[in-house]
Amino acid sequence: MRGFIIALALALASVCAWAAPADTAVVGIGSDTLFTVASGGGMTAAERQQVVAHRLVEVLSILRAGQDPKVEIRTEAGAPVLYAAGLRLICVTQQDAKLHRSTMEGIALVWSKHADMLLRKVAPVQQPTVAPH
């Protein structure tokens, strides 16, 4: 069963990339967009996209059926960082805030809501149980 969940997570966590402004990348699960990232933290947008894709696979592989993904925002070195199921997803950068014409905290809030909604959508479905007669 765990092998199936990991295979499903790998399939669902395919990173989507399509036309976006210069040095940005779209992070998604399947065909659903999670967020658009800019370069930052010494990485290109494409590199950040790949790191987040790997982390999403990790999150999806540990989520159990019906488990809350517990997406939260923590502050590290003065920057908001998104976590899901206790695992680090991404640090919001000044470049992300500039790209979205917002603050780092504002983007973190929007991204955390998107991540929570999308992870709940693709998390393993709880199997019905049959009570013995």
Side-chain angles (χ1 to χ4, degrees):
M1 179 66 172
R2 185 153 178 86
F4 171 75
I5 291 172
I6 291 172
L8 177 63
L10 288 171
L12 291 174
S14 62
V15 177
C16 308
W18 50 86
D23 208 19
T24 63
V26 176
V27 177
I29 299 177
S31 62
D32 293 313
T33 298
L34 191 50
F35 36 73
T36 302
V37 297
S39 60
M43 299 171 67
T44 67
E47 290 168 335
R48 291 182 74 209
Q49 176 191 52
Q50 291 301 312
V51 168
V52 175
H54 177 74
R55 291 174 179 169
L56 284 169
V57 170
E58 290 179 42
V59 168
L60 289 169
S61 70
I62 65 168
L63 282 178
R64 293 195 176 103
Q67 182 181 358
D68 181 354
K70 295 182 183 171
V71 177
E72 60 183 331
I73 303 167
R74 300 180 191 172
T75 301
E76 296 177 5
V81 180
L82 270 65
Y83 280 78
L87 300 176
R88 186 175 205 223
L89 279 182
I90 190 167
C91 177
V92 179
T93 66
Q94 286 287 354
Q95 293 86 343
D96 295 321
K98 184 177 177 182
L99 172 68
H100 295 284
R101 295 186 174 112
S102 184
T103 63
M104 292 191 315
E105 294 77 13
I107 294 303
L109 185 60
V110 169
W111 285 2
S112 68
K113 289 180 181 181
H114 285 160
D116 184 74
M117 180 183 68
L118 196 50
L119 287 169
R120 288 176 188 276
K121 178 180 174 182
V122 299
V125 177
Q126 188 169 11
Q127 298 297 319
T129 56
V130 178
H133 297 302

